[in-house]
Amino acid sequence: MIYERVALIGLGLIASSMAHAMRRGGLAGHIAGHARSAETRAIALELGFVDSVHASAAEAVAGADLVVLAVPVGAMEAVAAQIGPHLRPGATVTDVGSVKQAVIDAVAPHLAPGVQFIPGHPIAGTEHSGPHSGFATLFDNRWWLLTPLPETDLQAVSRLRTLCEAMGANVDEMDAAHHDLVLAVTSHTPHLIAYTMVGVADDLRRVTDSEVIKYSAAGFRDFTRIAASDPVMWRDVFLTNREATLELLGRFTEELFALQRAIRTGDGPLLHEYFTRTRAIRRGIIEAGQDTDAPDFGRINRGQTG
Ligand code: NAP
């Protein structure tokens, strides 16, 4: 056992997957949970991935040695304000938010100096949400990024790292600003592009009388999977990782114009060279074990968002 009492604030995809993974490894004594709605709390209790549920976040964190904030990024501040005065001295607080600097700005001011705040982000997810959607293997062989603050106690970081590894993940540490830039490239901007493509196709569908859906090919189907991700979570990601995603979108638009021009002028060599370079990136991802080489992008078993 790594922590005696864990409190999960938010009981959706990530929190329920953590609970299942902690149960699988016997990593936590008691798992207490809080979600906004009574319905979610009841489902969590019924599914049995928490030992107790609490109507208030403050009650859920009482006596916990690890508190996990697993709510949308935009809800972090309100939750931190509620739990701040009720945390046990020496407790560790972590979060799983997809953006890190904004969460640090929102949460840190509400925590007492004796509380260890270690922001985190598991790079694992699916397009599903809610307490039913979690599963124990979600984090297996996925990265879990920690962005500890300079003043954080090293022993507390090492204990949290042990938990993440025992849940199946590989752990890396980096600073929050770097995290936000990396994720803007690998996750946030691709999501926005998928949302846009699906939106455009939806407009077109009205013209082509459902053919877009009927003859949906792998490329478009993959976009729709990504674009089915939780709207609240992704709204908050773009509102809080604004600078990095805007920077990326600027570069993306320039590249798109360059490719558009190559198509217009019939510049085959440019297109071929570009697509050869991108193919090599795909190979690198497979070699790094972050996706499978199965046809249809290996989507049958596991997605990866967040
Ligand atoms: P989710 O399945 O939609 O669950 C969110 C949970 O937060 C729900 O239990 C919800 O309660 C609760 N909640 C929302 N607002 C709250 C509030 N003000 N007070 C208390 N509880 C509140 O979300 P998720 O996918 O697990 O995402 C949680 C966090 O993980 C987000 O910050 C997200 O950025 C991050 N993340 C997500 C992924 C991914 O792929 N999904 C990957 C990595 C990280 P109700 O059910 O009662 O509404």
Side-chain angles (χ1 to χ4, degrees):
M1 185 191 309
I2 298 170
Y3 291 96
E4 274 170 33
R5 191 179 172 97
V6 175
L8 300 174
I9 308 300
L11 295 170
L13 169 71
I14 300 296
S16 61
S17 295
M18 286 182 72
H20 289 301
M22 286 190 277
R23 290 254 201 261
R24 175 184 69 177
L27 311 177
H30 183 99
I31 303 179
H34 163 75
R36 191 172 39 172
S37 71
E39 192 193 348
T40 299
R41 297 195 296 268
I43 294 169
L45 207 52
E46 197 187 308
L47 293 175
F49 63 77
V50 289
D51 298 299
S52 63
V53 288
H54 306 266
S56 82
E59 228 178 79
V61 303
D65 45 1
L66 175 68
V67 175
V68 182
L69 308 182
V71 298
V73 171
M76 295 281 181
E77 175 150 31
V79 167
Q82 286 162 33
I83 63 170
H86 304 276
L87 292 165
R88 179 169 135 176
T92 290
V93 174
T94 189
D95 76 292
V96 295
S98 306
V99 178
K100 295 276 56 84
Q101 190 56 55
V103 170
I104 293 172
D105 295 344
V107 172
H110 297 283
L111 307 182
V115 169
Q116 301 298 322
F117 180 37
I118 310 169
H121 179 200
I123 315 293
T126 75
E127 67 278 28
H128 302 297
S129 47
H132 284 291
S133 56
F135 52 100
T137 55
L138 179 66
F139 309 113
D140 286 353
N141 200 30
R142 297 284 142 189
W143 284 102
W144 200 305
L145 303 179
L146 299 177
T147 63
L149 309 178
E151 61 271 25
T152 310
D153 175 50
L154 291 180
Q155 270 189 337
V157 177
S158 145
R159 193 171 170 198
L160 182 62
R161 176 186 265 270
T162 307
L163 177 77
C164 298
E165 286 170 349
M167 285 191 289
N170 307 313
V171 178
D172 231 345
E173 290 176 32
M174 59 178 65
D175 72 58
H178 187 67
H179 167 279
D180 290 353
L181 181 62
V182 170
L183 267 291
V185 177
T186 59
S187 170
H188 304 166
T189 310
H191 266 79
L192 198 76
I193 293 163
Y195 280 123
T196 316
M197 189 60 227
V198 174
V200 168
D202 184 49
D203 291 342
L204 215 78
R205 186 164 64 103
R206 295 187 190 109
V207 181
T208 59
D209 196 19
S210 291
E211 282 178 323
V212 171
I213 302 294
K214 192 169 163 195
Y215 302 125
S216 180
F220 181 67
R221 274 209 310 270
D222 231 39
F223 274 138
T224 61
R225 186 188 64 79
I226 295 172
S229 300
D230 187 68
V232 173
M233 167 183 159
W234 284 96
R235 177 200 65 193
D236 289 357
V237 164
F238 292 112
L239 291 178
T240 54
N241 200 15
R242 252 172 55 164
E243 274 173 38
T245 44
L246 285 176
E247 162 73 19
L248 258 291
L249 281 169
R251 286 166 185 254
F252 176 80
T253 316
E254 282 175 24
E255 296 279 296
L256 196 63
F257 279 139
L259 290 178
Q260 197 174 337
R261 189 181 147 79
I263 294 169
R264 193 191 317 284
T265 59
D267 191 344
L270 187 145
L271 294 173
H272 187 264
E273 194 266 325
Y274 202 97
F275 300 157
T276 305
R277 187 156 63 90
T278 53
R279 188 176 223 193
I281 292 172
R282 169 74 189 158
R283 284 207 199 98
I285 291 172
I286 293 164
E287 275 160 28
Q290 291 303 301
D291 207 345
T292 74
D293 203 9
D296 199 20
F297 303 95
R299 296 296 182 218
I300 295 147
N301 300 320
R302 176 192 285 150
Q304 185 177 339
T305 64

